[in-house]
Amino acid sequence: MIVDAIGHDARVQVDAFSGLLVDYCKRRGAGAIIRGLRALADFEYEFQFAHMNRHLAADVETVFLMTSEESFYVSSSLVKEVALMGGDVSRMVPPAVVAALAAKRKQGVVP
C-alpha cells in the first residue's frame, strides 16, 4: 500500500526491518530520522524516543515535522476504526488503503 500511495517515486525506497530503528539507520547509512507530529502528546512520546535514540546512536539525528491543520486529527487507529465501522475515509487515505480497509470490513473485521 505504501508503494502504491507514493506512486513508485524513484527517490523513495520502501523497506521493513525488525529491531532498533537506530541499528537499521546504521545499516542503511542514514543520518536522520524524520518523524511527524500531530499534537502535544505526540511530541512528548517522540521526545523520549529521540533522546533514547541519541543515547544509542549519537550520529543519527531526529527531525520533527508538524502536520498541516487539515490532518492533525488523523491517526491510523482512528481511520481504521471509522472505516471498519462503515465510515468514509477516502479524503484521508490513498485509494489502495480505502480498498484494503473495505476488504477487511467485508471479512467481518470490526473493532
Side-chain angles (χ1 to χ4, degrees):
M1 286 186 280
I2 293 170
V3 172
D4 187 59
I6 293 171
H8 306 283
D9 188 324
R11 300 170 298 168
V12 177
Q13 292 180 356
V14 177
D15 198 2
F17 69 95
S18 61
L20 295 172
L21 177 57
V22 291
D23 290 341
Y24 175 78
C25 289
K26 289 176 186 178
R27 286 193 305 273
R28 296 294 302 212
I33 300 167
I34 301 172
R35 304 290 294 179
L37 299 176
R38 294 171 301 193
L40 186 58
D42 287 347
F43 176 76
E44 292 173 1
Y45 177 80
E46 294 293 343
F47 188 71
Q48 292 176 22
F49 277 95
H51 278 285
M52 179 57 75
N53 287 338
R54 181 177 290 160
H55 173 75
L56 297 170
D59 56 333
V60 177
E61 289 292 327
T62 300
V63 177
F64 297 111
L65 299 177
M66 294 182 63
T67 189
S68 66
E69 290 179 20
E70 302 87 42
S71 301
F72 81 92
Y73 64 92
V74 177
S75 72
S76 61
S77 56
L78 181 59
V79 167
K80 284 186 274 191
E81 185 173 348
V82 169
L84 295 177
M85 296 294 246
D88 180 12
V89 295
S90 62
R91 294 185 306 160
M92 297 174 221
V93 296
V97 175
V98 173
L101 290 170
K104 282 202 177 281
R105 186 164 192 265
K106 285 182 184 174
Q107 293 171 358
V109 180
V110 179

